[in-house]
Amino acid sequence: MPRGRWRAAAQLYAFGFLLMGSACSSGSEPSYGSSSSSIVLLEEQGALWLASPDDDELVRIDANTLEVLERLPAAGGPVALARSENRLAVALRRASELVLIEDLSRPELVRVPIACGGSSSLAFSADGSLFVSCPSDRRWLRIEGQEVTQRVELEGKPRAVAVADDTVHVSLSELGRIERYAVADGTSLGALEIDLESGFSASQLDALAPVD
């Protein structure tokens, strides 16, 4: 198997482990959940939105025919998308900004400055706040509207963030740990240590998602 595919398979294995571990440890199913992906389906519009980091574009595709409907320039390496109702947020891995689309029925890109040198993941809370992971700067951010309203410094590099009900979950890459914070005020709620065996990419946590 080519090296690139082997690496992808290893990361997918770690992702599956996290989903199962989160389901077993929570004890209950979340009523609200949000996380990011490189693809978002808008069933009501029959469209897919894709992040294309190599082309610095967001691409809208017909979900049935896979025809490209629209390409929007998004310089900075768009890598992750998160949706909240009719809003879309885009993480940029090579920019100190993120991109917001406030109305998906009339997509216009707004670039929002943020206090980090590149983002990798984002998630919305039920009240519309946006949480963003900044791995290079070892912090996560809360954004309300188009303003950064909170910044939390971390010990490790946060590769992924997800929201389940009133809790923000942040994975610390290469430490094998998921830290939990209150959505309301960012108070620490403790951490979950992932006991993985040694091996290729064993303790690198690159993806999180709430399980419903």
Side-chain angles (χ1 to χ4, degrees):
M1 180 183 293
R3 183 178 179 182
R5 295 184 182 178
W6 182 46
R7 180 172 299 170
Q11 290 175 339
L12 286 173
Y13 175 81
F15 182 38
F17 180 89
L18 284 174
L19 291 181
M20 291 186 290
S22 297
C24 293
S25 64
S26 64
S28 61
E29 297 179 353
S31 59
Y32 173 87
S34 173
S35 60
S36 57
S37 170
S38 61
I39 181 170
V40 168
L41 171 64
L42 276 66
E43 292 187 73
E44 65 277 16
Q45 296 182 14
L48 295 167
W49 281 91
L50 306 178
S52 181
D54 293 338
D55 301 309
D56 275 348
E57 290 181 334
L58 299 179
V59 184
R60 185 165 64 94
I61 296 176
D62 186 293
N64 297 310
T65 66
L66 301 184
E67 176 188 359
V68 174
L69 303 175
E70 188 174 14
R71 295 180 180 271
L72 298 176
V79 290
L81 312 173
R83 181 191 178 192
S84 175
E85 297 181 348
N86 209 33
R87 300 174 68 205
L88 190 72
V90 185
L92 303 176
R93 70 182 179 190
R94 300 190 308 270
S96 56
E97 301 169 302
L98 58 79
V99 167
L100 290 177
I101 297 177
E102 298 288 359
D103 185 351
L104 283 166
S105 66
R106 294 177 298 172
E108 294 183 6
L109 274 57
V110 177
R111 298 184 74 94
V112 178
I114 56 175
C116 68
S119 51
S120 61
S121 176
L122 23 72
F124 283 100
S125 60
D127 66 1
S129 296
L130 180 64
F131 295 86
V132 182
S133 63
C134 302
S136 297
D137 301 277
R138 298 176 182 250
R139 66 173 64 114
W140 64 258
L141 308 174
R142 180 201 302 266
I143 296 173
E144 297 176 273
Q146 297 181 14
E147 299 290 333
V148 176
T149 59
Q150 187 174 20
R151 182 171 70 180
V152 175
E153 307 297 331
L154 302 167
E155 180 183 352
K157 296 181 178 181
R159 294 288 181 186
V161 61
V163 173
D165 293 334
D166 57 359
T167 305
V168 183
H169 302 262
V170 181
S171 75
L172 298 189
S173 181
E174 301 170 1
L175 293 184
R177 186 163 77 231
I178 299 172
E179 295 192 350
R180 302 166 63 246
Y181 299 87
V183 165
D185 57 9
T187 301
S188 175
L189 301 176
L192 171 65
E193 301 287 344
I194 305 297
D195 185 18
L196 297 178
E197 295 181 3
S198 61
F200 178 81
S201 197
S203 62
Q204 184 163 323
L205 307 181
D206 287 344
L208 289 173
V211 178
D212 57 19

